[in-house]
Amino acid sequence: MKQLIALLTTYVFCTTVNAQVISGTITDTELKPLSKASVSLLKAEDSSLVKLSVADDKGSYRFEDIRPGNYLLQVTSIGYIPTYSDRFSLQHTTVKDLIMEKINTQLAGVVVTAKKPPVEVKAGKTVVNVDASPTNAGLNVLEILEKSPGVSVDADGNISLKGKGGVLVLIDGKPTYLSGTQLASLLKSIQSSNLNQIEIMTTPPAKYDAEGNTGIINIKTKKGSIKGVNGNVDLNYAQGLYPKYNGGANINYRNNKWNLFGSYNGGTWEGLSTLDLYRRFYSDNIQNGASAQFTYRHNKSYWHNAKVGADYYFSDKDVVGVVVTGSDSKWRSWQNTTSHLKDASDITTTTFISDAYNAVSFSNINTNVNYKHTFDSSGREITVDLDYGYYKNNGDNLLTTEIYNPDNTKIGNTILLDGDFPSFIKIRSGKIDYLHPFTKDLKLEAGIKSSYVNTNNEVIYRRDTSTGWWPDVSRSNHFIYKENINAAYGILSATVKKWELTAGLRLENTIARGTQIKNDSSFKRNYTNLFPNVGVTYAVNDKNQLSLAYSRRIRRPNYEDLNPFVFFLDSLTYGQGNPYLQPQFSNNVELSHTFNRFLTTTINYTLTNNIITEILQQDNEKKTAFQVKDNISKMRQWGITITANKQVKKWWMANVYANLYNNKYNGIYNNGSVNIPVEVNVTGFMGNMSNTFTFAKTWMAELSGWYAYRLSEGLLIGTSMGSLNMAVAKQILNKKGTIKAGVRDIFRTSNFNGFTRYADVNIDIRNSRKMDNPVFNVSFVYKFGKNGISQARNRTGSAGEEQNRIKSGAGE
């Protein structure tokens, strides 16, 4: 300990000796000095405040005893537009003169000039500022993610980042308790009017759960923390083939001791999709038949989301809080599928007509109790979080199948299959986080966490072939899964002259047990892993910055993917869980260069072992197919990304994102009898662009879009697709209200087309999916109470990646 204190003392002494001075003058456009202008010195890394100064009668300011590093200057003065300096690296005495522009000299949208850009690229993450984009009018989170840099969303709502799946989604730093289709349903129910920012992190620090092969997407909602009452209400309407509408309200009240807050959002979503699927069947590598399927699917969902919470401030250093969130949703799907079985000459031999009705009711309630103690003004603090979540999911499936000869004569009786899928999940977790700044340039973060998950899933099938309903024992099952994850982490961050260094290590131990009640089989797992995270940033000069980051991450199977139940998509296609799934591990490396704070180029490399992917298997004689999640050997990805954010004109902000990548899968495919090597190699591209225009003081407009070519969703490869969007917005009611109108996918180009072909061509499938685009939307938001709401305490919660691994049968 004495050696550590001596080392820290030496470090503080050395950095103090090298401290330098920053000075300059503040003038207006006529070069007249601006006395009493407020000058803030900010760290370039995260815009945190270092020191404050006020200009004297000659407009001069001065900062003394400043340690070497990378900084920014912000200047504010009444009647003038806030002004920022360029990023600069301090090694010697620095002079920075700044010129401020009067507000009354601006014509088009002075207020908008001070707004944040739609997209910001920061060290280690990309930030999407939701309110800055008028095309976000009336959109939900999933639709906003669809056009965010590097993010792609498939037709089932699965999210991938830079061509890789396995993304951990957080809301206000807290996992959502959901995954798969249920997560998609939740994100569809959260509207843009309730959002502040979306953070996209490809190499998150060790304080976050190691779950998430690709990284983390953190969705930050709006909250108030100033005294008095404030909030907003919103109404949204969208029209595709069917109407979609929702509304909600946020309210916050705070006095000296209490901060009370709550929100509600409810609505309905209705849509139509069609699926064309063509499969080829082989025998000894010679095609002996095919099936052509067309599916018409009509979906409708209803939801109610609510949150209430309170913070109580015992003192300036102690605060305790409680947050309770709950949701109740119902999803219905009516699906008609016509399947033509063909012989080797492509002539129809048999036709299956299936009608499927799927219904899911999902409800959950989550409670978080938290405590925070601040030790001193240096920022040393400790936080404690305790979480409890309860989920109830009831699913129902009715499948009706009729079989016909080529002359349309019916074969046999109508077959009916009815399934009930009750599911219950309980999650208990707790964590403690500690932050200790040794100096302004050296800090330590550490924490521990433990979580317990208990899932109870049952499937009960009944079958009727015109002789009455009978239990279908062969398809029924009862599966119980229990899991305990214990974790600890430490992060050390330091700034040394032009260098910014971060090193973190996370330890996670997993203990799991799965049991199938009806056939009395079970499995146990107990494994411990280390997850290092390292980041280095070097400021070459005022215009060039280099950064290098490495992280190791894990993706555990979703709870439902471990469930060995059989579920039917249509009469010829079904899916099944895999209780033998193992977790996958990835190693990620990123090298980035930033030029003049507007152009960032990143090269990334990822190697994933034991990768979890969806495998298709076929019975070439019966012409049936089923899909299952399985581990194949590995996936390697390399990619290059370019991001540019440019204020082209005072009234025009442009953002461009482009990503070129190559994914290569190597593994073993088992066709039921032999193992066959599999190799899939695909080079793809994805890009986003947005242009924001301001005019006539209270008007904004945006033209945006995205394009993707050869998207790789596991072993499924997509062809080209994209979307062009536009919108306008106007402030009304003394700028307290905003009305926005827009249209998404103007030319209906976001429909998916793809193919799957592997395992010595025994798997050969082409499919296309169409949605009911374009969608027109209009939204109205009204803010009440005091303006300039700063951000409140956002709790990160203690329930880790396990919350994101819950999945239900809900669909679009």
Side-chain angles (χ1 to χ4, degrees), residues 667-685:
I668 300 296
Y669 168 77
N670 186 288
N671 68 354
S673 58
V674 297
N675 293 326
I676 303 174
V678 175
E679 180 176 313
V680 177
N681 195 330
V682 56
T683 299
F685 171 84

Side-chain angles (χ1 to χ4, degrees), residues 2 4 22 67 124-125 149 213 262 345 356-357 409 418 461 464 476 501-502 568 595 606 611 618-619 649 711 793:
K2 292 182 178 179
L4 176 60
I22 303 172
R67 295 183 178 87
K125 65 182 177 182
N213 172 59
S345 301
Y357 171 73
T409 57
D418 180 69
Y461 275 112
D464 180 18
S476 300
L501 311 171
T502 301
F568 288 86
F595 173 73
T606 301
I611 187 169
Q618 295 182 159
D619 186 323
K649 300 287 185 181
L711 282 174
R793 280 193 333 134

Side-chain angles (χ1 to χ4, degrees), residues 456-467:
N456 191 330
N457 308 275
E458 192 169 7
V459 57
I460 304 167
Y461 275 112
R462 298 183 302 155
R463 188 180 180 88
D464 180 18
T465 57
S466 300
T467 59

Side-chain angles (χ1 to χ4, degrees), residues 278-282 286-291 342-344 623:
Y278 189 86
R279 291 192 182 99
R280 292 184 174 91
F281 299 97
Y282 295 85
I286 299 175
Q287 183 176 343
N288 65 357
S291 72
K342 300 173 179 289
D343 60 18
K623 305 296 189 295

Side-chain angles (χ1 to χ4, degrees), residues 582-619:
Q582 299 290 330
Q584 70 179 42
F585 297 88
S586 63
N587 293 275
N588 310 291
V589 181
E590 289 190 356
L591 174 64
S592 298
H593 170 256
T594 300
F595 173 73
N596 208 24
R597 297 185 61 216
F598 92 94
L599 179 65
T600 300
T601 304
T602 302
I603 298 174
N604 71 278
Y605 177 85
T606 301
L607 181 63
T608 304
N609 293 310
N610 217 28
I611 187 169
I612 299 172
T613 190
E614 189 171 89
I615 296 291
L616 291 172
Q617 295 190 358
Q618 295 182 159
D619 186 323

Side-chain angles (χ1 to χ4, degrees), residues 158-160 164-168 179-180 210-215 508 527 529 531 552-558 561 581-586 608-614 629-631 635 665 713-714 801 804-805 807:
N158 298 310
I159 301 170
S160 60
K164 296 178 292 183
V167 182
L168 177 64
S179 68
E211 172 70 17
N213 172 59
T214 305
E508 290 190 353
Y527 53 92
N529 303 102
F531 301 95
R552 183 174 190 256
R553 303 193 64 78
I554 186 175
R555 179 187 178 188
R556 296 179 178 88
N558 294 330
D561 291 336
L581 269 179
Q582 299 290 330
Q584 70 179 42
F585 297 88
S586 63
T608 304
N609 293 310
N610 217 28
I611 187 169
I612 299 172
T613 190
E614 189 171 89
K629 291 289 181 66
D630 206 347
N631 299 103
M635 188 273 281
Y665 294 83
E713 298 174 3
E801 45 81 21
N804 280 270
R805 293 159 53 208
K807 185 165 86 175

Side-chain angles (χ1 to χ4, degrees), residues 218-319:
N218 184 28
I219 300 165
K220 301 174 72 172
T221 61
K222 294 177 180 176
K223 296 181 182 179
S225 63
I226 61 174
K227 291 183 179 180
V229 178
N230 53 73
N232 66 71
V233 295
D234 67 276
L235 295 171
N236 305 290
Y237 177 84
Q239 180 68 54
L241 185 62
Y242 296 98
K244 320 169 205 303
Y245 47 87
N246 61 81
N250 287 277
I251 188 169
N252 191 92
Y253 168 76
R254 182 172 180 178
N255 58 23
N256 291 329
K257 291 289 185 180
W258 287 95
N259 185 44
L260 308 176
F261 52 90
S263 65
Y264 166 80
N265 181 270
T268 182
W269 186 95
E270 189 171 6
L272 173 71
S273 65
T274 61
L275 174 66
D276 263 313
L277 190 66
Y278 189 86
R279 291 192 182 99
R280 292 184 174 91
F281 299 97
Y282 295 85
S283 178
D284 297 326
N285 292 330
I286 299 175
Q287 183 176 343
N288 65 357
S291 72
Q293 293 180 229
F294 179 81
T295 299
Y296 176 97
R297 189 178 185 186
H298 178 196
N299 305 313
K300 192 169 185 178
S301 61
Y302 310 87
W303 72 83
H304 301 276
N305 298 326
K307 174 172 65 176
V308 293
D311 293 323
Y312 181 74
Y313 294 80
F314 293 97
S315 66
D316 293 339
K317 295 183 177 181
D318 297 277
V319 55

